[in-house]
Amino acid sequence: MEQKTEKKKATIIVISGDFDKLFAAFTIATGAAATNMDVTLFFTFWGLRGIKKNMTTGKSLFGRMVGLIEGGDVTKANPSKYGFLGMGRWMFGKMMKNKNVSGLSELRQLAIDLGVKMYSCITSMEVMEIDKKELIDEVSGVAGVALMVEEAQNSEFSLFI
Amino acid sequence: MAENIKVDLELDLRGLLCPLPMVRVSQNITNVPIGGIIKAIATDPGSLADIPSWARTTGNEVVKTERADKDITFFVKRLK
């Protein structure tokens, strides 16, 4: 095996705020980081739920509407199937607890502990009226597509979830 | 390899599911010296594929795997 001093990289773009997709994103990020990779996550649009604090957002009428419907943090993420107005989230939460699978916030904390970098997309923050201070403190910064493309170019694999 | 393997660190990973068994081994690998052995006991059947794969990717070695009832015991050697 070739020996490289620099770590291999992985880039994951997270556009979905669905419970199952966030779960996949954080699991892959954690696994890659544990396998000695430099992992960068870019959160955009609904994916911003993955790094939001538990608070409502928005300034304008529409912004506040989005904030109300999309409000809350990662613990409020609903599964992409069997939503049932929050029932699905509760059911999956119970099932995962019974099987001793870690929850989304624990998995995200593990990713942070393993040095996974997290960036938020500035444009979707503008559109959805989400402020930097409404994101968790561990977010490395706000970024645009240029940084994402640069990271992806240097990555062994890039995923869009 | 019937002889006893000298274990430097023992990890009880029973009940943990993917990706945790592999993550815990990776977090602890630097807690043993190079050439040292981690004995990790897991119950997640996925770890049978994951831990050897993690070892290959990171340049470490699973020197022995034992199965008894639900327990899967890995002896992971730190190579670098």
Side-chain angles (χ1 to χ4, degrees):
Chain A
M1 225 166 82
E2 60 170 341
Q3 198 75 30
K4 268 196 223 164
T5 41
E6 217 168 83
K7 283 186 177 181
K8 290 181 176 177
K9 286 187 169 204
T11 299
I12 305 175
I13 297 111
V14 187
I15 198 166
S16 172
D18 292 340
F19 169 87
D20 37 10
K21 293 176 187 172
L22 286 171
F23 193 78
F26 285 128
T27 304
I28 297 167
T30 307
T35 314
N36 215 17
M37 293 184 93
D38 259 334
V39 186
T40 306
L41 297 179
F42 288 94
F43 292 88
T44 184
F45 273 88
W46 315 118
L48 286 172
R49 177 187 292 286
I51 47 172
K52 263 194 310 185
K53 285 180 186 160
N54 194 13
M55 58 204 292
T56 47
T57 56
K59 292 173 203 81
S60 70
L61 175 65
F62 290 144
R64 286 205 305 272
M65 262 172 64
V66 171
L68 205 63
I69 298 163
E70 282 298 312
D73 62 359
V74 76
T75 61
K76 302 286 192 308
N78 287 311
S80 64
K81 293 181 88 171
Y82 310 113
F84 306 138
L85 300 167
M87 269 289 284
R89 189 205 314 152
W90 176 81
M91 190 182 84
F92 272 96
K94 271 249 183 284
M95 284 168 70
M96 288 171 69
K97 219 178 197 132
N98 290 342
K99 302 255 166 20
N100 204 19
V101 182
S102 2
L104 274 182
S105 3
E106 293 162 80
L107 209 48
R108 180 180 68 191
Q109 189 54 51
L110 189 60
I112 292 164
D113 294 345
L114 292 169
V116 171
K117 291 192 289 292
M118 302 185 186
Y119 286 93
S120 60
C121 160
I122 183 72
T123 309
S124 37
M125 287 168 70
E126 288 286 332
V127 173
M128 296 174 78
E129 299 179 6
I130 295 169
D131 199 81
K132 175 84 168 64
K133 63 176 185 293
E134 289 159 347
L135 301 177
I136 57 167
D137 301 334
E138 288 87 350
V139 170
S140 309
V142 293
V145 72
L147 183 70
M148 185 244 112
V149 170
E150 186 189 350
E151 288 293 316
Q153 280 202 36
N154 297 321
S155 288
E156 299 293 318
F157 68 81
S158 302
L159 303 174
F160 184 82
I161 300 179
Chain B
M1 274 213 321
E3 78 275 20
N4 284 338
I5 299 172
K6 186 188 159 282
V7 173
D8 296 271
L9 182 67
E10 197 169 322
L11 299 175
D12 184 358
L13 310 174
R14 280 176 281 212
L16 298 179
L17 286 176
C18 168
L20 286 168
M22 178 261 268
V23 169
R24 293 290 177 241
V25 171
S26 85
Q27 283 178 317
N28 281 286
I29 195 73
T30 49
N31 291 337
V32 300
I34 292 173
I37 299 272
I38 289 181
K39 178 183 177 184
I41 308 163
T43 46
D44 172 23
S47 65
L48 268 173
D50 274 2
I51 289 178
S53 172
W54 170 86
R56 279 194 298 277
T57 319
T58 54
N60 294 292
E61 190 188 355
V62 177
V63 291
K64 194 181 179 188
T65 310
E66 282 172 354
R67 295 192 71 172
D69 205 9
K70 280 186 175 165
D71 288 358
I72 309 162
T73 307
F74 299 93
F75 294 88
V76 183
K77 190 175 189 178
R78 179 180 174 194
L79 291 185
K80 58 183 191 183

